Amino acid sequence: MSTSQRLLKLTALATISIVGIGYSAWWLYKTVKEHGYKKTIRYVWEGDYYTPEDREAFDVLKEVEAKVSIQASLIDLVKKSLERSKLNSIDSDQSSTAAVITRKENWSIAHLPSNLEKDITKLSHTLDKLASRVDSVALRGSNVGEIRSKKKQLSSTIVKLMD
């Protein structure tokens, strides 16, 4: 192997090493800036930014957040079907007392109390369970502030959905 080939290989190896070290330094700077020294060291050492208690709390809150979004879409569907049935029950041009009674009966038949009450009761019960689940998340570990803010945000969302 000639000297120029060796020099070329060494130059390539040095370039790759410098790029790798540069990227590692950039990643470390970015991670420390975003998460702090303790979380960065925990991530490098254990593979996770959070302690096991914090990870468990965040996982529970993430699961509840997904279920809350499903409940929100179900509430929207109930509202839309309720509005649609109201519009369908008032389409008649007649204004006599008999027509008004018929429209009210049509609306009542479209939304029998058992179906409407069952849907609303089921949604209310599910939201109550989700609120209870959020409240059960303990504020312990090293990220109490983050957990508290996530709990507060989810609780506010659930309360808005309950209205």
Side-chain angles (χ1 to χ4, degrees):
M1 190 181 298
S2 70
T3 308
S4 63
Q5 288 178 337
R6 285 185 196 170
L7 185 60
L8 184 62
K9 286 184 179 185
L10 286 175
T11 305
L13 184 61
T15 304
I16 291 172
S17 299
I18 290 171
V19 169
I21 291 170
Y23 177 78
S24 298
W26 172 80
W27 176 85
L28 189 63
Y29 169 77
K30 183 182 82 153
T31 306
V32 168
K33 186 176 178 182
E34 184 177 340
H35 297 287
Y37 290 108
K38 288 183 181 180
K39 288 183 183 179
T40 300
I41 291 170
R42 186 177 296 118
Y43 180 76
V44 169
W45 193 257
E46 297 177 9
D48 193 359
Y49 292 111
Y50 301 109
T51 62
E53 297 99 18
D54 292 343
R55 174 55 55 203
E56 182 181 339
F58 282 119
D59 288 346
V60 167
L61 293 174
K62 187 176 181 181
E63 176 188 331
V64 169
E65 187 174 25
K67 290 180 180 180
V68 164
S69 100
I70 291 170
Q71 295 305 308
S73 63
L74 290 175
I75 288 172
D76 287 341
L77 287 174
V78 167
K79 285 180 181 178
K80 285 178 184 177
S81 67
L82 185 62
E83 289 298 319
R84 191 176 310 124
S85 65
K86 282 181 184 178
L87 290 172
N88 289 340
S89 66
I90 302 178
D91 282 344
S92 176
D93 290 334
Q94 303 167 348
S95 59
S96 68
T97 306
V100 170
I101 292 171
T102 304
R103 279 184 268 166
K104 286 182 179 178
E105 287 174 357
N106 287 343
W107 190 85
S108 298
I109 290 170
H111 287 288
L112 293 172
S114 62
N115 293 337
L116 187 58
E117 287 176 15
K118 188 186 295 181
D119 291 344
I120 292 172
T121 302
K122 188 176 178 182
L123 285 169
S124 176
H125 177 70
T126 304
L127 288 172
D128 283 340
K129 285 188 343 186
L130 292 174
S132 171
R133 188 90 191 267
V134 169
D135 290 340
S136 71
V137 173
L139 293 174
R140 62 174 193 256
S142 60
N143 294 297
V144 173
E146 288 181 56
I147 295 170
R148 180 179 288 129
S149 66
K150 188 69 173 171
K151 281 179 68 170
K152 186 175 181 179
Q153 181 248 340
L154 273 173
S155 294
S156 298
T157 303
I158 291 171
V159 168
K160 287 177 186 175
L161 289 175
M162 287 181 174
D163 288 340

